[in-house]
mmCIF file of all heavy atoms in Angstrom:
data_model
loop_
_atom_site.group_PDB
_atom_site.id
_atom_site.type_symbol
_atom_site.label_atom_id
_atom_site.label_comp_id
_atom_site.label_asym_id
_atom_site.label_seq_id
_atom_site.Cartn_x
_atom_site.Cartn_y
_atom_site.Cartn_z
ATOM 1 N N PRO A 179 8.022 7.321 -17.547
ATOM 2 C CA PRO A 179 6.724 7.040 -17.987
ATOM 3 C C PRO A 179 6.421 5.575 -18.161
ATOM 4 O O PRO A 179 5.323 5.156 -18.364
ATOM 5 C CB PRO A 179 7.022 7.587 -19.510
ATOM 6 C CG PRO A 179 8.489 7.746 -19.665
ATOM 7 C CD PRO A 179 8.900 8.045 -18.358
ATOM 8 N N LYS A 180 7.558 4.645 -18.182
ATOM 9 C CA LYS A 180 7.253 3.221 -18.305
ATOM 10 C C LYS A 180 7.478 2.571 -17.065
ATOM 11 O O LYS A 180 7.251 1.144 -17.040
ATOM 12 C CB LYS A 180 8.277 2.671 -19.420
ATOM 13 C CG LYS A 180 7.911 3.213 -20.806
ATOM 14 C CD LYS A 180 8.834 2.661 -21.718
ATOM 15 C CE LYS A 180 8.582 3.133 -23.242
ATOM 16 N NZ LYS A 180 9.366 2.639 -24.252
ATOM 17 N N THR A 181 7.721 3.135 -15.910
ATOM 18 C CA THR A 181 8.030 2.435 -14.701
ATOM 19 C C THR A 181 6.859 2.132 -14.115
ATOM 20 O O THR A 181 5.778 2.604 -14.069
ATOM 21 C CB THR A 181 8.782 3.305 -13.746
ATOM 22 O OG1 THR A 181 10.164 3.629 -14.373
ATOM 23 C CG2 THR A 181 9.065 2.731 -12.391
ATOM 24 N N CYS A 182 6.820 0.770 -13.442
ATOM 25 C CA CYS A 182 5.591 0.183 -12.679
ATOM 26 C C CYS A 182 5.521 0.850 -11.336
ATOM 27 O O CYS A 182 6.500 0.761 -10.468
ATOM 28 C CB CYS A 182 5.825 -1.308 -12.562
ATOM 29 S SG CYS A 182 4.265 -2.133 -11.850
ATOM 30 N N ILE A 183 4.395 1.337 -11.075
ATOM 31 C CA ILE A 183 4.157 2.209 -9.988
ATOM 32 C C ILE A 183 2.927 1.608 -9.159
ATOM 33 O O ILE A 183 1.916 1.486 -9.604
ATOM 34 C CB ILE A 183 3.850 3.713 -10.177
ATOM 35 C CG1 ILE A 183 5.045 4.325 -10.907
ATOM 36 C CG2 ILE A 183 3.758 4.381 -8.682
ATOM 37 C CD1 ILE A 183 4.836 5.785 -11.163
ATOM 38 N N TRP A 184 3.216 1.051 -7.945
ATOM 39 C CA TRP A 184 2.137 0.518 -7.028
ATOM 40 C C TRP A 184 1.865 1.442 -5.921
ATOM 41 O O TRP A 184 2.837 1.998 -5.252
ATOM 42 C CB TRP A 184 2.639 -0.778 -6.336
ATOM 43 C CG TRP A 184 2.443 -2.107 -7.278
ATOM 44 C CD1 TRP A 184 3.211 -2.357 -8.411
ATOM 45 C CD2 TRP A 184 1.586 -2.984 -7.148
ATOM 46 N NE1 TRP A 184 2.842 -3.484 -8.912
ATOM 47 C CE2 TRP A 184 1.678 -3.875 -8.285
ATOM 48 C CE3 TRP A 184 0.383 -3.287 -6.310
ATOM 49 C CZ2 TRP A 184 0.910 -5.132 -8.495
ATOM 50 C CZ3 TRP A 184 -0.350 -4.377 -6.577
ATOM 51 C CH2 TRP A 184 -0.191 -5.227 -7.640
ATOM 52 N N VAL A 185 0.561 1.656 -5.643
ATOM 53 C CA VAL A 185 0.132 2.568 -4.603
ATOM 54 C C VAL A 185 -0.688 1.837 -3.677
ATOM 55 O O VAL A 185 -1.681 1.224 -4.061
ATOM 56 C CB VAL A 185 -0.622 3.780 -5.196
ATOM 57 C CG1 VAL A 185 -1.164 4.677 -4.100
ATOM 58 C CG2 VAL A 185 0.270 4.564 -6.171
ATOM 59 N N TRP A 186 -0.323 1.894 -2.319
ATOM 60 C CA TRP A 186 -1.169 1.439 -1.339
ATOM 61 C C TRP A 186 -1.886 2.607 -0.695
ATOM 62 O O TRP A 186 -1.312 3.471 0.073
ATOM 63 C CB TRP A 186 -0.356 0.754 -0.117
ATOM 64 C CG TRP A 186 0.413 -0.331 -0.528
ATOM 65 C CD1 TRP A 186 1.833 -0.479 -0.792
ATOM 66 C CD2 TRP A 186 0.073 -1.766 -0.923
ATOM 67 N NE1 TRP A 186 2.237 -1.758 -1.214
ATOM 68 C CE2 TRP A 186 1.146 -2.537 -1.242
ATOM 69 C CE3 TRP A 186 -1.243 -2.358 -0.845
ATOM 70 C CZ2 TRP A 186 1.007 -3.822 -1.627
ATOM 71 C CZ3 TRP A 186 -1.377 -3.677 -1.264
ATOM 72 C CH2 TRP A 186 -0.309 -4.398 -1.644
ATOM 73 N N GLY A 187 -3.160 2.740 -0.972
ATOM 74 C CA GLY A 187 -4.085 3.804 -0.643
ATOM 75 C C GLY A 187 -4.749 3.593 0.674
ATOM 76 O O GLY A 187 -5.690 2.832 0.744
ATOM 77 N N ILE A 188 -4.196 4.078 1.777
ATOM 78 C CA ILE A 188 -4.606 3.894 3.074
ATOM 79 C C ILE A 188 -5.854 4.850 3.571
ATOM 80 O O ILE A 188 -5.646 6.072 3.247
ATOM 81 C CB ILE A 188 -3.567 3.958 3.988
ATOM 82 C CG1 ILE A 188 -2.442 2.840 3.690
ATOM 83 C CG2 ILE A 188 -3.852 3.712 5.557
ATOM 84 C CD1 ILE A 188 -1.090 3.018 4.385
ATOM 85 N N GLN A 189 -6.773 4.280 4.131
ATOM 86 C CA GLN A 189 -7.910 5.018 4.768
ATOM 87 C C GLN A 189 -7.897 4.792 6.270
ATOM 88 O O GLN A 189 -7.795 3.759 6.830
ATOM 89 C CB GLN A 189 -9.206 4.617 4.114
ATOM 90 C CG GLN A 189 -9.370 4.772 2.648
ATOM 91 C CD GLN A 189 -10.561 4.100 2.092
ATOM 92 O OE1 GLN A 189 -10.334 3.069 1.499
ATOM 93 N NE2 GLN A 189 -11.713 4.752 2.156
ATOM 94 N N SER A 190 -7.991 6.035 6.850
ATOM 95 C CA SER A 190 -8.037 5.910 8.388
ATOM 96 C C SER A 190 -9.414 5.354 8.837
ATOM 97 O O SER A 190 -10.512 5.493 8.192
ATOM 98 C CB SER A 190 -7.858 7.387 8.920
ATOM 99 O OG SER A 190 -6.696 7.893 8.545
ATOM 100 N N PRO A 191 -9.437 4.676 9.976
ATOM 101 C CA PRO A 191 -10.708 4.206 10.617
ATOM 102 C C PRO A 191 -11.678 5.298 10.796
ATOM 103 O O PRO A 191 -11.320 6.425 11.282
ATOM 104 C CB PRO A 191 -10.187 3.615 11.987
ATOM 105 C CG PRO A 191 -8.830 3.268 11.672
ATOM 106 C CD PRO A 191 -8.317 4.378 10.903
ATOM 107 N N LEU A 192 -13.034 5.004 10.575
ATOM 108 C CA LEU A 192 -13.997 6.038 10.783
ATOM 109 C C LEU A 192 -14.672 5.892 12.086
ATOM 110 O O LEU A 192 -15.639 5.359 12.336
ATOM 111 C CB LEU A 192 -15.142 5.844 9.785
ATOM 112 C CG LEU A 192 -14.756 5.944 8.248
ATOM 113 C CD1 LEU A 192 -15.919 5.622 7.272
ATOM 114 C CD2 LEU A 192 -14.369 7.467 8.082
ATOM 115 N N LEU A 193 -13.897 6.396 13.093
ATOM 116 C CA LEU A 193 -14.231 6.305 14.421
ATOM 117 C C LEU A 193 -14.416 7.681 15.154
ATOM 118 O O LEU A 193 -13.504 8.595 15.064
ATOM 119 C CB LEU A 193 -13.041 5.630 15.305
ATOM 120 C CG LEU A 193 -12.676 4.181 14.737
ATOM 121 C CD1 LEU A 193 -11.426 3.575 15.561
ATOM 122 C CD2 LEU A 193 -13.883 3.160 15.148
#
Side-chain angles (χ1 to χ4, degrees):
K180 297 183 179 180
T181 298
C182 189
I183 302 176
W184 278 76
V185 176
W186 299 106
I188 298 170
Q189 297 166 262
S190 302
L192 296 172
L193 300 171

